[in-house]
Amino acid sequence: MWVLTPAAFAGKLLSVFRQPLSSLWRSLFPLFCWLRATWLLASKRTKQQLVWREPDETKEEEEDPPLSTTPTSVNYHFTRQCNYKCGFCFHTAKTSFVLPLEEAKRGLLLLKEAGMEKINFSGGEPFLHDRGEYLGKLVKFCKTELQLPSVSIVSNGSLIRERWFQNYGEYLDILAVSCDSFDEEVNVLIGRGQGKKNHVENLQKLRTWCRDYRVAFKINSVINRFNVEEDMTEQIKALNPVRWKVFQCLLIEGENCGEDALREAERFVIGDEEFERFLERHKEVSCLVPESNQKMKDSYLILDEYMRFLNCRKGRKDPSKSILDVGVEEAIKFSGFDEKMFLKRGGKYTWSKADLKLDW
């Protein structure tokens, strides 16, 4: 094959046309071959520059192994039983099972060894089982023996007695009391009513006990169809909780919606815009911590009464195997926990009463 410079090519072409016709083809043929080879080479280079090639999948690349999830903050729903009938409840009384105390302690020790810093006891109503003694023993165990930085409880508050604070208050960092309205008629409509007891008046009493026994006081509210237009600014400021957690009503299949559900929460649901308007109305409340459905759904590590992690990614609660059977590291793989969203929503905060520096 010939390789010619442009000047040499012109000279060669001129000499060709000076030859007799009989030898013209023999002279032009190598030129045509050279032109075709040059064109193919240029075309190949152009394609290499313009076309993105798939990476070679046969070539093994070293990748860092995925990081295991640390159960920094765990919500242990050790009972599903409750004395209230909130219409939107998403952890309903499907069983009456409660682990033996020593088994629950063994599971909590496994969680501590896996990196747990905060435990939150919830239900159902956690003060219902054994009149709060079971709960008190777990609280004391977590603070004195496991030495967790934070031990907290979520309760409707109706069954708490001052004697419980006297026995166990020093071991508890935060008590969160559920209150969805400061209108008692609305509370009854929602399902937070119990005979002659006034939910709002009881909330005031609990606030006083938390101050007297040095427990940080928190309020949880679920915003739904019946309280979305309410203005709670003055009441929240007067109670002055360390945090006011405001949730958007959430549907969970098999719990508060669907065929097997014990509740029908569809009538309580509000839209995102309505939730945002409620937040805007309360923007002056400094302790407000809002949680939309998007933030809440996958950003909690939830442990059920059998100590199984509950995965809510598909809109229902799919349980893992129990940490008592397979250990924390294996069970947590099936938790569906979104650690990035947990941090984004402010899941890690100053949660030890020793660090809160409250003016008791």
Side-chain angles (χ1 to χ4, degrees):
M1 185 183 296
W2 297 352
V3 179
L4 303 174
T5 63
F9 170 68
K12 183 64 179 176
L13 187 62
L14 183 61
S15 66
V16 166
F17 284 104
R18 290 174 180 169
Q19 296 177 15
L21 185 61
S22 61
S23 60
L24 181 60
W25 170 247
R26 289 195 303 271
S27 300
L28 286 176
F29 180 73
L31 290 173
F32 289 146
C33 292
W34 177 81
L35 286 171
R36 185 174 181 275
T38 303
W39 178 80
L40 288 174
L41 182 60
S43 177
K44 184 177 180 180
R45 288 175 176 173
T46 302
K47 287 181 178 179
Q48 288 176 339
Q49 293 173 353
L50 296 179
V51 177
W52 180 83
R53 292 186 175 183
E54 293 284 347
D56 185 0
E57 295 182 358
T58 62
K59 184 178 180 181
E60 295 185 0
E61 295 183 2
E62 294 185 1
E63 294 182 359
D64 294 331
L67 297 175
S68 59
T69 301
T70 301
T72 307
S73 176
V74 178
N75 297 271
Y76 178 25
H77 297 248
F78 67 83
T79 178
R80 283 179 172 267
Q81 297 298 301
C82 189
N83 60 324
Y84 277 10
K85 296 181 180 179
C86 302
F88 48 71
C89 179
F90 54 82
H91 200 75
T92 53
K94 290 198 150 192
T95 76
S96 58
F97 180 80
V98 176
L99 275 173
L101 183 64
E102 293 306 313
E103 279 293 275
K105 288 181 177 180
R106 181 167 74 89
L108 291 167
L109 175 59
L110 291 174
L111 289 164
K112 168 64 188 302
E113 291 172 344
M116 179 175 68
E117 299 177 17
K118 180 181 186 294
I119 183 68
N120 179 54
F121 294 105
S122 187
E125 171 47 49
F127 282 88
L128 185 60
H129 184 68
D130 195 21
R131 298 184 177 182
E133 283 300 303
Y134 179 94
L135 172 62
K137 291 172 183 177
L138 289 181
V139 167
K140 183 177 180 180
F141 171 76
C142 288
K143 183 56 73 171
T144 60
E145 296 191 40
L146 299 186
Q147 296 185 342
L148 293 182
S150 182
V151 180
S152 66
I153 297 171
V154 174
S155 167
N156 63 38
S158 63
L159 301 176
I160 304 176
R161 302 292 179 262
E162 187 174 8
R163 178 174 294 181
W164 193 94
F165 279 96
Q166 293 170 349
N167 294 334
Y168 302 109
E170 63 180 297
Y171 312 114
L172 183 64
D173 290 277
I174 302 172
L175 174 65
V177 181
S178 301
C179 180
D180 304 316
S181 176
F182 290 92
D183 183 335
E184 193 59 23
E185 292 183 2
V186 174
N187 282 322
V188 173
L189 188 62
I190 288 172
R192 293 198 191 278
Q194 193 181 25
K196 297 180 180 180
K197 292 183 179 180
N198 186 296
H199 190 75
V200 177
E201 290 179 1
N202 193 57
L203 184 70
Q204 301 279 356
K205 181 173 61 177
L206 291 170
R207 178 67 183 95
T208 301
W209 286 345
C210 282
R211 184 191 64 235
D212 294 344
Y213 294 95
R214 302 197 171 194
V215 175
F217 180 70
K218 176 182 173 186
I219 296 175
N220 287 355
S221 300
V222 177
I223 308 310
N224 60 83
R225 178 59 52 205
F226 299 102
N227 65 2
V228 67
E229 300 301 331
E230 189 172 339
D231 189 340
M232 309 180 191
T233 303
E234 290 186 10
Q235 294 90 338
I236 295 294
K237 285 184 175 181
L239 288 166
N240 192 29
V242 292
R243 283 163 74 88
W244 178 33
K245 187 73 78 67
V246 173
F247 302 97
Q248 183 180 2
C249 182
L250 177 67
L251 294 180
I252 296 290
E253 184 181 345
E255 295 284 355
N256 60 13
C257 69
E259 293 183 1
D260 300 327
L262 298 183
R263 297 285 189 275
E264 296 178 358
E266 288 88 348
R267 65 194 182 100
F268 290 89
V269 173
I270 60 172
D272 294 343
E273 292 184 0
E274 292 175 292
F275 185 64
E276 289 299 325
R277 285 200 298 272
F278 181 90
L279 299 180
E280 178 65 22
R281 191 181 311 128
H282 296 87
K283 63 182 179 181
E284 294 182 1
V285 181
S286 59
C287 60
L288 171 64
V289 181
E291 286 194 16
S292 64
N293 288 345
Q294 182 183 7
K295 288 183 178 180
M296 180 169 57
K297 188 166 67 73
D298 303 320
S299 64
Y300 283 83
L301 273 175
I302 302 174
L303 210 62
D304 74 358
E305 64 272 26
Y306 301 100
M307 285 198 157
R308 304 176 300 182
F309 288 110
L310 298 179
N311 186 331
C312 301
R313 283 189 177 270
K314 295 182 179 179
R316 58 179 186 268
K317 290 181 176 178
D318 296 321
S320 69
K321 292 182 179 180
S322 174
I323 66 171
L324 298 171
D325 296 328
V326 300
V328 176
E329 185 177 357
E330 181 63 25
I332 206 170
K333 293 177 183 177
F334 303 93
S335 65
F337 180 57
D338 187 343
E339 195 163 11
K340 290 183 179 178
M341 183 58 76
F342 165 74
L343 295 173
K344 183 178 180 180
R345 70 168 172 80
K348 194 167 185 178
Y349 57 97
T350 304
W351 52 32
S352 171
K353 64 181 178 182
D355 298 329
L356 284 168
K357 299 178 181 179
L358 297 175
D359 184 4
W360 302 109

